[in-house]
Amino acid sequence: MARPEDFTHREVLTPRGRMHFVEAGKGKPLLLLHGGHGGWVHWIDNIHALAGARRVIAPDLPGFGLSDPPVAAPEFSCQAEDTSIDAFDDAGFRVWR
């Protein structure tokens, strides 16, 4: 069974604050986004399984896990999350959508 310390923990600065994420593996990036309540840990076993073939990136979206809470009332929409994901592109991760 995978454990949190098995993965590399990093941060990226987004327009909505600091976003924590984990990554594992090498190859073409695969971005795993959690839904509703939760965080990257919901993907822990999937990350472990997929990291043999892909570079897996799993963030804690703003307001979840170790990411900064939103400064204003949280906006949960595709457009708001897209802004957060843009930060990965800006950091050189070349995330595909």
Side-chain angles (χ1 to χ4, degrees):
M1 179 180 282
R3 300 168 303 164
E5 56 271 16
D6 293 338
F7 308 111
T8 301
H9 293 254
R10 298 181 58 195
E11 296 177 350
V12 65
L13 188 58
T14 76
R16 298 172 70 191
R18 181 189 54 82
M19 188 185 313
H20 168 265
F21 65 97
V22 298
E23 66 178 326
K26 294 181 180 177
K28 187 175 178 181
L30 175 64
L31 184 64
L32 302 178
L33 300 176
H34 65 84
H37 302 286
W40 77 267
V41 295
H42 287 201
W43 294 108
I44 195 165
D45 292 327
N46 301 89
I47 297 167
H48 182 72
L50 294 167
R54 301 288 292 270
R55 178 181 179 199
V56 183
I57 303 163
D60 286 326
L61 294 173
F64 296 95
L66 299 175
S67 292
D68 286 344
V71 255
E75 176 191 347
F76 297 105
S77 68
C78 290
Q79 184 177 10
E81 299 315 328
D82 205 38
T83 301
S84 297
I85 302 313
D86 284 342
F88 283 96
D89 284 334
D90 294 344
F93 284 94
R94 295 183 182 183
V95 174
W96 292 82
R97 296 180 216 168

